[in-house]
């Protein structure tokens, strides 16, 4: 099965008809086995359903979508989960776990085994269990005001091996361990800015070491992204533990990942900042191929 997500800066793009990229996930046994980013080639609303059908897409995960596009997807036999936001990989993971609720056509074959609710509540949040791994994608904070990335590889499909470490030498991610290079379109915002900028000027076969400050990676933590809720207003929250990563939805039913920061008898505090926010990151990057 193939799942497609509207894609921009590592996140779910919010306007289906204007999306420039889709991230396509190959799924076997309810697990993602591979993924790639494809271009919409400037295709507009009416033809996007056909483009996805040609790619063999079974499910589309997106943000906002109009009724005409919904009908076109239905005619093409493509299941729709709309209203998603945040990290694309996280949203697909949530879909596979039955935790992603569509605000458009309902994904009614999914169910909830953990007893948590994905419906909206008075406080605008609801809860569903979720485990989230690190992803190198996403622009982090403040990317919109920064100058565009330049270099001979910008706009080209690049394949890189990399190893990511914190300043104490602890490894947090490695394509070498997975045995497959990471493929992305350089300069398209699919990677954190510092990684993208390094690859933009590399030559095939070259290996570079880069040290990224938070502003070049996932940005600084936003204190407004930390919030406290009453446990009794959030079905399932009583079973959560500090440090656990879960999936909440806002008043529009749009899911987003958070981490449990604190909990007492009556309240629970969540942090919606990216887990890498505020961290300095080190990468050893090897450019394997440019297409």
């Amino acid at each position: 099965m193939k799942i497609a997500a509207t894609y921009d800066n590592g996140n779910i793009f919010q306007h289906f008809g204007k999306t420039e990229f889709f991230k396509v996930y190959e799924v076997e046994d309810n697990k993602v086995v591979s993924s790639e980013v494809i271009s919409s080639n400037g295709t507009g609303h009416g033809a996007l359903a056909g483009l996805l059908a040609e790619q063999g897409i079974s499910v589309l995960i997106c943000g906002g979508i109009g009724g005409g596009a919904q009908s076109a997807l239905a005619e093409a036999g493509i299941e729709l989960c709309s209203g998603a936001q945040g990290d694309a990989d996280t949203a697909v993971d949530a879909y596979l776990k039955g935790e992603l609720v569509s605000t458009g056509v309902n994904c009614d074959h999914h169910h909830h085994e953990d007893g948590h609710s994905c419906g909206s509540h008075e406080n605008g949040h609801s809860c569903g269990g979720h485990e989230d791994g690190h992803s190198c994608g996403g622009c982090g904070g403040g990317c919109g005001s920064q100058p565009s990335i330049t270099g001979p590889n910008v706009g080209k499909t690049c394949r890189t091996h990399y190893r990511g470490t914190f300043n104490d030498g602890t490894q947090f991610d490695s394509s070498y361990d997975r045995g497959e290079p990471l493929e992305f379109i350089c300069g398209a915002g699919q990677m954190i800015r510092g990684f993208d900028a390094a690859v933009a000027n590399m030559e095939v076969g070259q290996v570079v070491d880069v040290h990224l400050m938070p502003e070049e990676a996932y940005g600084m933590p936003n204190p407004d992204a930390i919030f406290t809720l009453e446990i009794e207003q959030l079905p399932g929250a009583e079973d959560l533990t500090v440090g656990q990563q879960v999936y909440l939805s806002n008043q529009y039913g749009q899911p987003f990942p958070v981490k449990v920061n604190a909990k007492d008898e009556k309240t629970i505090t969540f942090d919606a900042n990216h887990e890498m926010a505020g961290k300095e990151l080190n990468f050893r990057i090897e450019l394997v191929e440019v297409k």
Side-chain angles (χ1 to χ4, degrees):
M1 180 178 76
K2 287 185 177 181
I3 299 174
T6 52
Y7 194 72
D8 180 53
N9 290 328
N11 295 322
I12 299 290
F13 185 67
Q14 290 301 302
H15 189 159
F16 171 74
K18 294 184 178 180
T19 188
E20 296 182 8
F21 300 102
F22 291 98
K23 189 165 185 179
V24 177
Y25 302 79
E26 184 78 35
V27 176
E28 296 179 3
D29 297 326
N30 215 41
K31 294 182 179 180
V32 174
V33 295
S34 65
S35 63
E36 64 174 335
V37 176
I38 65 171
S39 172
S40 66
N41 296 319
T43 304
H45 289 79
L48 282 174
L51 172 69
L52 295 174
E54 291 173 2
Q55 294 288 328
I57 304 301
S58 300
V59 179
L60 170 69
I61 297 175
C62 66
I65 186 169
Q70 290 186 17
S71 298
L73 290 166
E75 291 177 6
I78 298 173
E79 179 184 331
L80 172 66
C81 278
S82 63
Q85 67 176 13
D87 184 78
D89 294 350
T90 300
V92 171
D93 189 34
Y95 171 86
L96 293 174
K97 292 180 178 180
E99 296 166 3
L100 189 62
V101 168
S102 176
T103 59
V105 177
N106 185 26
C107 302
D108 55 9
H109 74 275
H110 288 299
H111 56 281
H112 302 277
E113 296 177 340
D114 55 9
H116 294 171
S117 170
C118 278
S120 59
H121 298 275
E122 292 179 1
N123 56 21
H125 296 284
S126 58
C127 180
H130 180 73
E131 296 178 1
D132 181 28
H134 167 74
S135 171
C136 225
C139 81
C143 66
S145 61
Q146 294 177 320
S148 59
I149 293 172
T150 59
N153 296 329
V154 171
K156 299 179 181 179
T157 299
C158 297
R159 287 167 56 84
T160 64
H161 266 308
Y162 68 91
R163 179 171 288 108
T165 58
F166 297 121
N167 286 343
D168 64 1
T170 303
Q171 177 179 298
F172 60 81
D173 197 9
S174 172
S175 65
Y176 293 101
D177 291 351
R178 292 191 293 272
E180 183 178 351
L182 174 70
E183 183 172 303
F184 62 97
I185 300 173
C186 185
Q190 298 166 10
M191 304 298 297
I192 54 175
R193 181 176 178 81
F195 194 105
D196 229 359
V199 174
N201 292 287
M202 291 178 65
E203 297 179 356
V204 173
Q206 184 179 2
V207 178
V208 300
D209 291 304
V210 295
H211 174 76
L212 305 183
M213 298 302 290
E215 293 77 10
E216 302 171 286
Y218 291 94
M220 295 301 294
N222 179 4
D224 292 335
I226 300 174
F227 54 94
T228 300
L229 302 173
E230 296 288 334
I231 291 178
E232 64 180 17
Q233 295 179 337
L234 193 64
E238 63 274 9
D239 298 324
L240 301 180
T241 57
V242 173
Q244 185 176 353
Q245 289 184 318
V246 298
Y247 219 66
L248 303 183
S249 64
N250 63 18
Q251 62 268 38
Y252 303 108
Q254 297 170 324
F256 60 99
V258 297
K259 186 175 183 178
V260 180
N261 259 16
K263 182 183 179 186
D264 57 29
E265 291 183 0
K266 294 185 177 181
T267 64
I268 185 167
T269 300
F270 296 103
D271 186 352
N273 285 295
H274 193 282
E275 61 181 341
M276 294 291 191
K279 295 184 182 296
E280 297 180 26
L281 305 180
N282 302 286
F283 288 97
R284 170 159 289 188
I285 306 172
E286 175 188 355
L287 184 56
V288 176
E289 182 182 7
V290 177
K291 296 189 281 188

